[in-house]
Amino acid sequence: MTVMQTMKVDTERVTPAPADSCSAAPRRHPRPAGKDKYTISEVVAFTGLTAHTLRWYERIGLMPDVDRSHTGQRRYSNRDLDWLDFVTKLRLTGMPVADMVRYAELVREGESTYLERQALLESTRRDVLARIAELRDTLSVLDRKISFYAQGTIR
Protein backbone atom coordinates (compact mmCIF):
# COMPACT_ATOMS: atom_id res chain seq x y z
CA MET A 1 0.00 0.00 0.00
CA THR A 2 1.24 3.48 -0.78
CA VAL A 3 0.56 6.84 0.84
CA MET A 4 -1.89 7.98 -1.78
CA GLN A 5 -5.32 6.98 -2.95
CA THR A 6 -5.72 7.33 -6.68
CA MET A 7 -8.16 6.69 -9.44
CA LYS A 8 -8.76 3.25 -10.90
CA VAL A 9 -7.53 2.79 -14.43
CA ASP A 10 -8.77 0.22 -16.89
CA THR A 11 -7.34 -0.57 -20.28
CA GLU A 12 -10.23 0.94 -22.27
CA ARG A 13 -10.72 4.34 -20.66
CA VAL A 14 -9.51 6.50 -17.83
CA THR A 15 -12.06 6.96 -15.05
CA PRO A 16 -12.47 10.31 -13.29
CA ALA A 17 -10.12 11.02 -10.43
CA PRO A 18 -11.49 11.23 -6.89
CA ALA A 19 -11.53 14.58 -5.11
CA ASP A 20 -8.14 14.00 -3.46
CA SER A 21 -6.22 13.09 -6.60
CA CYS A 22 -2.61 14.22 -6.55
CA SER A 23 -2.00 14.65 -10.23
CA ALA A 24 -3.55 17.24 -12.50
CA ALA A 25 -5.06 14.78 -14.92
CA PRO A 26 -5.14 11.00 -14.86
CA ARG A 27 -2.80 9.42 -17.31
CA ARG A 28 -2.88 5.99 -18.83
CA HIS A 29 -0.51 3.53 -17.25
CA PRO A 30 1.37 0.83 -19.14
CA ARG A 31 -0.48 -1.92 -17.26
CA PRO A 32 -4.04 -2.16 -15.96
CA ALA A 33 -4.70 -2.07 -12.22
CA GLY A 34 -4.29 -5.53 -10.73
CA LYS A 35 -1.58 -6.43 -13.24
CA ASP A 36 0.49 -3.38 -12.46
CA LYS A 37 3.61 -4.78 -10.85
CA TYR A 38 6.68 -2.90 -12.08
CA THR A 39 10.30 -3.64 -11.28
CA ILE A 40 12.54 -0.85 -10.09
CA SER A 41 14.15 -0.78 -13.57
CA GLU A 42 10.78 -0.25 -15.20
CA VAL A 43 9.93 2.54 -12.77
CA VAL A 44 13.28 4.17 -13.49
CA ALA A 45 12.49 4.09 -17.23
CA PHE A 46 8.93 5.28 -16.72
CA THR A 47 9.60 8.12 -14.25
CA GLY A 48 13.12 9.27 -15.04
CA LEU A 49 14.06 8.90 -11.37
CA THR A 50 17.12 6.85 -10.49
CA ALA A 51 17.01 3.56 -8.60
CA HIS A 52 19.08 5.26 -5.91
CA THR A 53 16.41 7.99 -5.56
CA LEU A 54 13.60 5.42 -5.36
CA ARG A 55 15.41 3.49 -2.62
CA TRP A 56 16.17 6.75 -0.79
CA TYR A 57 12.50 7.81 -0.96
CA GLU A 58 11.64 4.48 0.63
CA ARG A 59 14.28 4.84 3.38
CA ILE A 60 13.14 8.33 4.41
CA GLY A 61 9.45 7.45 4.45
CA LEU A 62 8.46 9.32 1.33
CA MET A 63 7.66 6.10 -0.52
CA PRO A 64 6.82 3.56 2.18
CA ASP A 65 5.25 0.13 1.88
CA VAL A 66 6.43 -0.74 -1.60
CA ASP A 67 5.23 -4.25 -2.34
CA ARG A 68 7.88 -6.98 -2.63
CA SER A 69 7.98 -10.17 -4.65
CA HIS A 70 8.64 -13.53 -2.96
CA THR A 71 12.34 -12.94 -3.69
CA GLY A 72 12.32 -9.50 -2.08
CA GLN A 73 12.37 -7.44 -5.27
CA ARG A 74 10.38 -4.24 -5.22
CA ARG A 75 7.11 -4.34 -7.16
CA TYR A 76 5.60 -0.93 -7.81
CA SER A 77 1.93 -0.37 -8.66
CA ASN A 78 0.15 2.31 -10.67
CA ARG A 79 -0.70 3.97 -7.35
CA ASP A 80 3.02 4.11 -6.60
CA LEU A 81 3.66 5.68 -10.03
CA ASP A 82 0.95 8.28 -9.35
CA TRP A 83 2.50 9.08 -5.98
CA LEU A 84 5.96 9.40 -7.55
CA ASP A 85 4.52 11.75 -10.16
CA PHE A 86 3.10 13.93 -7.39
CA VAL A 87 6.35 13.84 -5.39
CA THR A 88 8.25 14.88 -8.52
CA LYS A 89 5.94 17.86 -8.90
CA LEU A 90 6.45 18.77 -5.23
CA ARG A 91 10.21 18.63 -5.82
CA LEU A 92 9.80 21.04 -8.75
CA THR A 93 8.04 23.49 -6.45
CA GLY A 94 11.12 23.62 -4.27
CA MET A 95 9.30 22.08 -1.31
CA PRO A 96 11.88 20.85 1.21
CA VAL A 97 12.17 17.08 1.44
CA ALA A 98 11.31 17.23 5.15
CA ASP A 99 7.99 18.88 4.26
CA MET A 100 7.35 16.26 1.60
CA VAL A 101 7.96 13.50 4.14
CA ARG A 102 5.66 15.27 6.60
CA TYR A 103 2.98 15.47 3.90
CA ALA A 104 3.37 11.72 3.26
CA GLU A 105 3.02 11.03 6.98
CA LEU A 106 -0.15 13.13 7.10
CA VAL A 107 -1.61 11.23 4.14
CA ARG A 108 -0.96 7.95 5.96
CA GLU A 109 -2.67 9.32 9.08
CA GLY A 110 -5.90 9.74 7.13
CA GLU A 111 -8.69 12.23 6.58
CA SER A 112 -8.29 13.89 9.96
CA THR A 113 -5.16 15.60 8.58
CA TYR A 114 -6.82 17.34 5.60
CA LEU A 115 -6.47 20.81 7.13
CA GLU A 116 -2.79 20.36 7.91
CA ARG A 117 -2.12 18.98 4.43
CA GLN A 118 -4.02 21.88 2.89
CA ALA A 119 -1.97 24.37 4.92
CA LEU A 120 1.28 22.74 3.82
CA LEU A 121 0.26 22.84 0.15
CA GLU A 122 -1.00 26.44 0.43
CA SER A 123 2.34 27.50 1.90
CA THR A 124 4.14 25.80 -0.98
CA ARG A 125 1.77 27.45 -3.44
CA ARG A 126 2.63 30.90 -2.03
CA ASP A 127 6.33 30.11 -2.44
CA VAL A 128 5.76 29.02 -6.05
CA LEU A 129 3.80 32.20 -6.84
CA ALA A 130 6.63 34.30 -5.40
CA ARG A 131 9.15 32.41 -7.55
CA ILE A 132 6.97 32.90 -10.63
CA ALA A 133 6.82 36.65 -9.98
CA GLU A 134 10.60 36.70 -9.57
CA LEU A 135 11.07 34.80 -12.82
CA ARG A 136 8.68 37.12 -14.68
CA ASP A 137 10.67 40.10 -13.49
CA THR A 138 13.88 38.40 -14.60
CA LEU A 139 12.33 37.59 -17.98
CA SER A 140 11.36 41.23 -18.39
CA VAL A 141 14.96 42.31 -17.78
CA LEU A 142 16.20 39.77 -20.32
CA ASP A 143 13.62 40.94 -22.89
CA ARG A 144 14.73 44.56 -22.47
CA LYS A 145 18.39 43.61 -22.92
CA ILE A 146 17.62 41.47 -25.98
CA SER A 147 15.59 44.32 -27.46
CA PHE A 148 18.44 46.74 -26.78
CA TYR A 149 20.95 44.51 -28.57
CA ALA A 150 18.56 43.82 -31.46
CA GLN A 151 18.16 47.57 -32.09
CA GLY A 152 21.88 48.11 -32.05
CA THR A 153 22.64 45.38 -34.57
CA ILE A 154 23.79 46.61 -38.00
CA ARG A 155 21.89 44.92 -40.78
Side-chain angles (χ1 to χ4, degrees):
M1 180 173 146
T2 63
V3 295
M4 180 181 107
Q5 294 183 356
T6 61
M7 68 302 254
K8 293 188 183 228
V9 177
D10 67 29
T11 56
E12 296 302 314
R13 63 182 183 81
V14 176
T15 58
D20 191 31
S21 176
C22 289
S23 55
R27 66 178 179 177
R28 194 176 297 272
H29 292 292
R31 297 185 186 132
K35 298 181 181 176
D36 58 340
K37 299 301 177 193
Y38 305 94
T39 64
I40 198 166
S41 313
E42 291 172 314
V43 173
V44 164
F46 192 67
T47 65
L49 298 169
T50 66
H52 175 77
T53 298
L54 293 169
R55 289 185 197 103
W56 180 64
Y57 282 178
E58 204 174 334
R59 261 194 322 275
I60 65 173
L62 191 55
M63 186 74 208
D65 303 323
V66 173
D67 191 32
R68 301 280 181 143
S69 71
H70 68 283
T71 61
Q73 291 181 317
R74 289 168 179 83
R75 294 290 183 229
Y76 295 86
S77 68
N78 288 333
R79 292 177 76 186
D80 295 327
L81 295 179
D82 290 339
W83 176 253
L84 289 168
D85 185 54
F86 181 62
V87 166
T88 300
K89 290 194 179 10
L90 290 180
R91 292 288 309 252
L92 288 172
T93 70
M95 179 187 266
V97 173
D99 287 349
M100 292 170 30
V101 170
R102 178 65 184 143
Y103 182 86
E105 290 168 351
L106 292 170
V107 170
R108 285 191 298 277
E109 289 175 25
E111 290 180 14
S112 64
T113 64
Y114 275 9
L115 290 177
E116 195 173 346
R117 285 189 251 170
Q118 180 182 356
L120 190 55
L121 293 176
E122 285 175 350
S123 172
T124 301
R125 185 178 192 280
R126 285 189 298 274
D127 294 344
V128 168
L129 288 172
R131 284 184 40 222
I132 289 170
E134 210 172 19
L135 287 171
R136 283 190 176 136
D137 183 54
T138 302
L139 183 60
S140 176
V141 169
L142 290 173
D143 287 344
R144 282 194 305 271
K145 281 293 191 184
I146 290 168
S147 177
F148 171 79
Y149 290 121
Q151 291 173 2
T153 305
I154 301 174
R155 293 175 198 219

